[in-house]
Amino acid sequence: MTAPTRTIVMTGATRGIGLEAAQDLLRRSPDAHLVVLARAASAAQVLPRLLAVSPHVTAVDVDLASTAGTLDAAAQVEDLLDAGRLPPMRGLVLNAGVHLDSAAHATADGYEKTFAVNVLANHLLLRRLHPHLRTTPARVVVTVSDAHFGDLRHTGGIFPPIRWSTPERLSEPGAHPRPTTGRAGRAAYATSKLAAVYLVHEWARRLPEGVDVVAYNPSLVIGTGLARDAGGASGWLMEHVVPALALTPLADTPPVAGRRLADTVLGTTRAATGSYVHRSRVAPSSDESYDVDREAALWTWLEQAAGA
């Protein structure tokens, strides 16, 4: 077995496309050491599958809904890198995300949970770990979604139109109309994915040359379990309607989407920093996603939430 020469840190690697991508990364990159940031119980379930591919896997416990928990996990990764127990870091995959049944769930820090996990946690990890991406070329990948378009063409009407507000407001439980409903949960998810695209654009301006950050949109994928907590129409559609689309070009299975995520991480899918990768090619994100004022405001709020 080849000794690892680079580290890839990944969230959302314990199920769905993330697990498929993690296995694919290990198969295709025997020189990589994969660090999985996940809750301990989830990591324990999938570690045997990952270790069967490569012995170079480390799990770090994290609660992405907690600012302190996210920063503590990042600090543990830093300690391993600084001590030489991990090879130099070359990749960061921010694939974790939640899609909940309402917009009323609050974290211990008081933030709306969807926004906390899908936006704030990504920023905290990238903020803390990006100085370790010293060996270039290096790549950061943030998983986003068609949901950020908020229109019929891209979401089939599952997600409502996005009503952007200030980051301060969007980070609060109850920010969306009728916050205890599934529709509000879908609005929170779509809005968080638009914010994630803004985050990619802003980080692309700030990372040094040779360190790229790109958004990856898997589009419609069956059998990921993402909507398991969404309830209502989303859960019903994902269970009864979407699986039929697997026989068409409109949807991918987790292995296919996972391989495409791995392609994006490894640079097989070529994409300049700040790009939006739709499945397997660079494409425009929504017209609304190109707003430098919103990007700057989001950055300012995230930095304040990080204690900067």
Side-chain angles (χ1 to χ4, degrees):
M1 178 65 69
T2 303
T5 60
R6 56 177 168 160
T7 292
I8 299 174
V9 179
M10 185 173 184
T11 67
T14 60
R15 60 168 60 93
I17 68 171
L19 177 56
E20 297 291 345
Q23 294 175 106
D24 200 45
L25 287 169
L26 291 170
R27 279 192 293 264
R28 294 163 61 183
S29 304
D31 64 332
H33 190 113
L34 181 67
V35 177
V36 174
L37 300 186
R39 286 189 176 274
S42 297
Q45 291 180 346
V46 302
L47 268 178
R49 293 177 62 178
L50 297 177
L51 290 170
V53 181
S54 168
H56 305 306
V57 182
T58 299
V60 174
D61 184 33
V62 67
D63 178 4
L64 294 173
S66 163
T67 298
T70 301
L71 293 174
D72 180 66
Q76 291 183 56
V77 175
E78 280 193 296
D79 289 343
L80 292 170
L81 289 164
D82 290 340
R85 295 172 61 188
L86 291 173
M89 185 174 165
R90 290 276 299 278
L92 177 60
V93 189
L94 301 172
N95 178 63
V98 296
H99 180 189
L100 304 176
D101 61 356
S102 78
H105 297 278
T107 68
D109 301 303
Y111 301 126
E112 193 277 315
K113 190 173 182 179
T114 310
F115 200 86
V117 174
N118 296 1
V119 187
L120 177 56
N122 286 344
H123 181 71
L124 294 174
L125 290 171
L126 185 46
R127 186 176 187 274
R128 190 69 176 265
L129 293 176
H130 84 270
H132 294 274
L133 294 166
R134 302 188 188 102
T135 304
T136 57
R139 179 167 280 195
V140 179
V141 178
V142 180
T143 298
V144 293
S145 170
D146 281 325
H148 89 276
F149 283 87
D151 60 12
L152 181 64
R153 175 189 170 193
H154 290 88
T155 74
I158 296 176
F159 294 94
I162 293 174
R163 298 178 181 177
W164 187 261
S165 183
T166 64
E168 291 85 354
R169 177 56 179 153
L170 293 172
S171 68
E172 297 174 351
H176 299 275
R178 300 173 60 204
T180 60
T181 65
R183 180 179 175 84
R186 296 191 293 278
Y189 178 78
T191 304
S192 75
K193 292 303 181 179
L194 176 59
V197 179
Y198 289 148
L199 189 64
V200 167
H201 291 166
E202 191 64 28
W203 269 105
R205 299 185 185 100
R206 296 170 184 268
L207 289 171
E209 186 176 355
V211 180
D212 296 339
V213 55
V214 301
Y216 168 70
N217 168 35
S219 195
L220 187 58
V221 184
I222 65 166
T224 65
L226 177 62
R228 65 190 177 280
D229 298 320
S234 292
W236 188 88
L237 287 169
M238 292 302 289
E239 181 179 356
H240 298 286
V241 177
V242 172
L245 298 177
L247 301 177
T248 77
L250 298 175
D252 284 331
T253 60
V256 172
R259 185 182 69 249
R260 287 176 169 172
L261 173 55
D263 286 341
T264 306
V265 175
L266 296 174
T268 304
T269 298
R270 296 191 177 186
T273 191
S275 294
Y276 179 86
V277 176
H278 172 73
R279 299 173 82 178
S280 61
R281 60 182 178 82
V282 173
S285 49
S286 70
D287 291 343
E288 190 175 4
S289 71
Y290 299 96
D291 190 316
V292 294
D293 291 333
R294 289 183 183 180
E295 289 160 4
L298 178 62
W299 178 275
T300 298
W301 182 85
L302 290 168
E303 286 290 277
Q304 292 173 348

